[in-house]
Amino acid sequence: METTTATVGGAILALFGGALLLWCAAEVRLRHRVRRRGRPAVATVVAEADAHGELDSAPLLSFATEPSTVGAQGVGAHTAHSSGTLAVEACELVLTRPRGHTPLRRPPRLVPGTSVRIAYDPRRPGLAVLAPEESGPRTVVADLLWTALGLGCLAAAALLLLVAA
């Protein structure tokens, strides 16, 4: 193999493997942060209105957020504070797909109408993840496989760069 080809191939594999490892770490960190600090909720799997959406492995979920005090905006029950000001407790209906759900096919248990437990970020309700017991051990296996692929690319890049040197 020519030195230039090995160097370029090694650089491309190193970039791909590094980006893949960063993406895996960011997704795992995001899921753990939302599960730890987010609010729990029960979501319903919604039927897809789009034929292309049915091909997505992550189900479309619908859930209502918990009430939060938001000044004078939002929809919900009005409450008076001890200071005499009027605030609104807003509930929002959210339609989103959970993050970190990366199987090749949608699990058969996630059919429209099924209830699943989730956690969502109260500041960004569209950011939701399945509860650990809902996602099951397959999520850990998928995380390990993506990590192994990233490490394999980095190892192949190191080998190619050693051959080129």
Side-chain angles (χ1 to χ4, degrees), residues 16-31 99-102 142-143 145-147 149:
F16 177 74
L20 187 58
L21 286 176
L22 286 174
W23 173 75
C24 287
E27 281 294 313
V28 168
R29 184 173 181 264
L30 175 98
R31 282 196 315 259
R99 292 289 296 266
H101 191 77
T102 56
D143 289 340
L145 288 175
W146 286 113
T147 302
L149 179 63

Side-chain angles (χ1 to χ4, degrees), residues 109-136:
R109 62 180 175 76
L110 296 176
V111 296
T114 305
S115 294
V116 292
R117 289 182 295 185
I118 62 166
Y120 69 92
D121 186 345
R123 291 175 298 188
R124 296 186 307 163
L127 180 59
V129 297
L130 293 174
E133 54 275 358
E134 296 290 346
S135 56

Side-chain angles (χ1 to χ4, degrees), residues 10-89:
I12 289 172
L13 280 173
L15 285 173
F16 177 74
L20 187 58
L21 286 176
L22 286 174
W23 173 75
C24 287
E27 281 294 313
V28 168
R29 184 173 181 264
L30 175 98
R31 282 196 315 259
H32 286 289
R33 182 181 57 83
V34 172
R35 285 178 182 151
R36 214 176 28 248
R37 297 183 185 157
R39 291 198 176 143
V42 175
T44 303
V45 178
V46 179
E48 302 284 342
D50 181 9
H52 297 290
E54 292 178 8
L55 299 175
D56 195 335
S57 64
L60 189 60
L61 302 176
S62 173
F63 64 95
T65 61
E66 291 181 4
S68 63
T69 305
V70 294
Q73 298 176 341
V75 179
H78 298 283
T79 58
H81 290 280
S82 59
S83 64
T85 61
L86 183 67
V88 177
E89 292 182 8

